[in-house]
Structure formats: structure tokens, C-alpha cells
């Protein structure tokens, strides 16, 4: 394991950023304010991890608590960094690195402000702003080779912040503030529908059809949702063999724990611009047979080929 040194930006450097929650006084469920604040701090830490991937150095960002102020709850935070002991620190300006992380988070929060749903154009603009900021700040002047934050990580960052502010009520307000007085408000009603996110990220779709044996985890008895099967993990599968579904609901054949079905399955794989897998969807086109389970085994999904 690589040993690490714990370094902070210079002691007299400005605080990186602040988080503010303006809450409705004398309201119920006061724990929501502290829950949201805790989740926001954790979200900032996660987003820093995404942002630091654009820089060609092995460094782990850490957040330090600087101050807590009363009234509306106002928390000031400061970045510190864990670096490998063999990394020359004179190649990195920690104050500039901290400035980049704070302002980039500001851009991500600002992206969702005033919107009701995610859009590809807005996401591309934010990606460009962060990349431009990184080259402008230039925290590693001896190694100024930076890469764009991926749209997937941008969306994950937005989702982190959105999950963090969920405990707040419609009467509350959460903001991020920078040392120079700039501030932006967290959007409490931003919509992250899985379909819209998938549509934005997908640039290539590949479909394959094969015969598979799928071990049943949970059937759909009502007909309003997908079936669940085991792979290395649980997968959701749409069953489009309506004749077989009708027979199943008429109880023409039983299904017991451990049973599987042999079926013709269409697998749709969506990939992003960097050839990373965005999502995989499964659809049973025809059920060929029910395969009774013989004994408890570890769940798996077997591809038998055509």
C-alpha cells in the first residue's frame, strides 16, 4: 500500500467554501436540517473525488471543518489533501487545487438551479465551464494535462447533491457560498428521471438475442412491473411473451423457489461517448420452458447460446 502524507493548503489561505441552510423556524422535524447538512458535506466529499480525476496526480481530497455560525446554519469548510509520500509537493499548488474544487462544485450546483429536469445542452455547458476553470486555475503547473469530467460523473454529482437536500421542506433553502461572496442555491425540486439520464449519456446501442436460463427471484403476479432474476446481482427483466404470461396467471404450471426459466432474451446495452456501459436492459421475447430447481445453489445466469 502506498504511504500517504496529509497536507493542507497554506494556513493563511481563504476558506474553500461555505454551506448555508435557511430553515423555517418553529417547524416540525428539526432533524431534517442537520440530516441535510451532513448529507451535503458527504456529497461535497464525493463530488471532489469525481473532480480530482481530471488531474493527473494521485491525490485524495479531504474536507476540514473551519467554522459553524448561528442564525441560519452556516458551515465553512476547507480542503486538505492526502498525497503519496513519493509525490513532489512543489508540483502542486494546494491553494489553487482547493480553489478549483470549490468553484467546480459551485458550477455543478448552479447547473441545476432554476431547472426542473436535466438537459444535454446544460450538462455540456457545465462540463465546458469546469474544464475551462481547471485550465485557468492550473493547479499542477508542471503537469498541465487535464481531462474533462465525464458527463456520467457530472450527473452523479448532481444526484449526490439532490439526494442530500431531500430532507428539507419546501420552506427551507440551502445555498453554497464562496469566499468572494458569490452564492448559488440548491434546487430542491430537480428531476432526475433514469430515462432522461440514460438518453443523455447513450451514444451507441447494441442489441443481442440469445437463449438463456434465468433463475427466478421474484415473479410479477400483478402484471404492472418487471420480473426479478439473479445474475451476479439482481436484474429486472421485461417479459413480452404474453401467451406464456397468460398461462402463468391461469396457474397452468407452478413456480417453486429455486426454479428457472429457459427463454429467448434480447439484451440491449447502451454505451456513452467513452465506450463505458451506461445501462443494460433485458427483455424475454419467448419463454421456452420452466426449469425446476434441484437443490439450493448460488444464483447465476447462464448463456446457452443459440
Amino acid at each position: 500500500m502506498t504511504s500517504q502524507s496529509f497536507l493542507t493548503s497554506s494556513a493563511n489561505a481563504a476558506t474553500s467554501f461555505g454551506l448555508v441552510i435557511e430553515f423555517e423556524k418553529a417547524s416540525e422535524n428539526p432533524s431534517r436540517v442537520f440530516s441535510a447538512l451532513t448529507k451535503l458535506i458527504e456529497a461535497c466529499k464525493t463530488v471532489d473525488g469525481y473532480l480530482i480525476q481530471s488531474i493527473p496526480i494521485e491525490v485524495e481530497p479531504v474536507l476540514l471543518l473551519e467554522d459553524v455560525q448561528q442564525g441560519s446554519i452556516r458551515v465553512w469548510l476547507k480542503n486538505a489533501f492526502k498525497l503519496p509520500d513519493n509525490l513532489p509537493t512543489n508540483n502542486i499548488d494546494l491553494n489553487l487545487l482547493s480553489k478549483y474544487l470549490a468553484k467546480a462544485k459551485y458550477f455543478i450546483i448552479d447547473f441545476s438551479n432554476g431547472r426542473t429536469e436535466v438537459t444535454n445542452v446544460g450538462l455540456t455547458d457545465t462540463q465546458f465551464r469546469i474544464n475551462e476553470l481547471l485550465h485557468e486555475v492550473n493547479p499542477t503547473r508542471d503537469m498541465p494535462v487535464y481531462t474533462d469530467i465525464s458527463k456520467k460523473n457530472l450527473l452523479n454529482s448532481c444526484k449526490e447533491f439532490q439526494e442530500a437536500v431531500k430532507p428539507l421542506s419546501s420552506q427551507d433553502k440551502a445555498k453554497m457560498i464562496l469566499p468572494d461572496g458569490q452564492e448559488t442555491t440548491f434546487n430542491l425540486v430537480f428531476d432526475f428521471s433514469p430515462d432522461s439520464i440514460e438518453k443523455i449519456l447513450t451514444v451507441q446501442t447494441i442489441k443481442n438475442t440469445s437463449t438463456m436460463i434465468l433463475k427466478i427471484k421474484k415473479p410479477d403476479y400483478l402484471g404492472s412491473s418487471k420480473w426479478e432474476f439473479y445474475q451476479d446481482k439482481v436484474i429486472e427483466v421485461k417479459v413480452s411473451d404474453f401467451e406464456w404470461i397468460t398461462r402463468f396467471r391461469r396457474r397452468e404450471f407452478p413456480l417453486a423457489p429455486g426454479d428457472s426459466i429457459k427463454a429467448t432474451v434480447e439484451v440491449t446495452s447502451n454505451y456513452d461517448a467513452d465506450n463505458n456501459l451506461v445501462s443494460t436492459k433485458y427483455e424475454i421475447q419467448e419463454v421456452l420452458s420452466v426449469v425446476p430447481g434441484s437443490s439450493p445453489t448460488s444464483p447465476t445466469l447462464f448463456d446457452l447460446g443459440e
Side-chain angles (χ1 to χ4, degrees):
M1 179 180 294
T2 304
S3 59
Q4 292 182 314
S5 298
F6 186 79
L7 300 175
T8 65
S9 48
S10 61
N12 57 359
T15 299
S16 298
F17 64 95
L19 297 172
V20 180
I21 294 183
E22 298 174 354
F23 53 90
E24 183 185 11
K25 295 184 178 180
S27 58
E28 296 182 359
N29 189 23
S31 63
R32 75 185 188 280
V33 177
F34 302 97
S35 175
L37 185 58
T38 299
K39 290 180 178 180
L40 277 174
I41 294 172
E42 289 299 318
C44 287
K45 180 180 177 182
T46 300
V47 173
D48 281 347
Y50 293 140
L51 293 167
I52 210 74
Q53 292 176 23
S54 298
I55 303 173
I57 54 173
E58 187 180 346
V59 56
E60 178 185 347
V62 180
L63 286 176
L64 303 180
L65 179 63
E66 279 285 285
D67 192 18
V68 179
Q69 299 173 355
Q70 297 181 5
S72 58
I73 297 183
R74 186 176 299 237
V75 174
W76 290 100
L77 299 164
K78 190 173 185 177
N79 275 108
F81 304 93
K82 293 180 179 179
L83 288 79
D85 288 336
N86 60 356
L87 182 67
T89 57
N90 60 341
N91 293 333
I92 308 170
D93 189 318
L94 298 181
N95 290 328
L96 292 179
L97 186 57
S98 181
K99 178 181 178 181
Y100 157 68
L101 293 178
K103 193 61 178 288
K105 288 195 292 289
Y106 182 95
F107 286 160
I108 293 170
I109 297 164
D110 198 51
F111 158 66
S112 66
N113 197 359
R115 299 176 186 268
T116 56
E117 61 181 17
V118 65
T119 63
N120 191 30
V121 173
L123 201 66
T124 300
D125 289 344
T126 303
Q127 190 180 34
F128 176 79
R129 291 179 76 188
I130 292 175
N131 186 53
E132 191 176 46
L133 167 70
L134 182 54
H135 283 83
E136 177 186 327
V137 174
N138 196 13
T140 55
R141 298 188 182 279
D142 292 344
M143 298 182 294
V145 181
Y146 307 121
T147 57
D148 289 348
I149 181 174
S150 68
K151 285 188 176 181
K152 182 177 181 179
N153 281 344
L154 266 181
L155 286 169
N156 285 336
S157 299
C158 292
K159 288 174 66 177
E160 288 285 339
F161 288 133
Q162 199 63 27
E163 288 296 318
V165 297
K166 271 188 176 179
L168 298 179
S169 74
S170 58
Q171 303 301 314
D172 299 326
K173 183 183 291 186
K175 297 187 294 186
M176 178 182 180
I177 50 179
L178 297 177
D180 61 6
Q182 293 184 79
E183 62 179 49
T184 187
T185 304
F186 289 89
N187 190 339
L188 304 185
V189 293
F190 198 58
D191 178 32
F192 278 96
S193 87
D195 288 341
S196 63
I197 292 175
E198 182 180 297
K199 184 178 179 181
I200 286 174
L201 293 179
T202 299
V203 296
Q204 181 177 194
T205 298
I206 298 176
K207 293 186 178 183
N208 292 293
T209 302
S210 59
T211 302
M212 296 181 175
I213 292 180
L214 300 91
K215 184 176 287 290
I216 300 169
K217 179 181 183 292
K218 185 171 71 173
D220 170 25
Y221 291 102
L222 300 178
S224 57
S225 61
K226 297 177 180 179
W227 287 48
E228 290 185 359
F229 296 90
Y230 282 115
Q231 196 185 28
D232 294 331
K233 58 182 180 180
V234 175
I235 61 171
E236 292 186 338
V237 182
K238 178 181 179 181
V239 182
S240 296
D241 187 340
F242 299 111
E243 180 181 352
W244 184 85
I245 286 290
T246 300
R247 293 178 59 203
F248 165 69
R249 290 180 184 145
R250 288 175 181 168
R251 302 184 181 181
E252 293 186 18
F253 45 83
L255 288 179
D259 285 354
S260 303
I261 61 173
K262 182 179 181 180
T264 302
V265 183
E266 181 181 76
V267 182
T268 302
S269 302
N270 296 313
Y271 296 87
D272 64 15
D274 298 317
N275 300 317
N276 297 315
L277 183 65
V278 174
S279 64
T280 303
K281 295 182 179 179
Y282 302 87
E283 181 177 352
I284 292 177
Q285 297 178 328
E286 182 183 4
V287 177
L288 303 176
S289 63
V290 174
V291 182
S294 55
S295 60
T297 58
S298 56
T300 186
L301 174 66
F302 298 96
D303 185 349
L304 304 182
E306 290 290 336

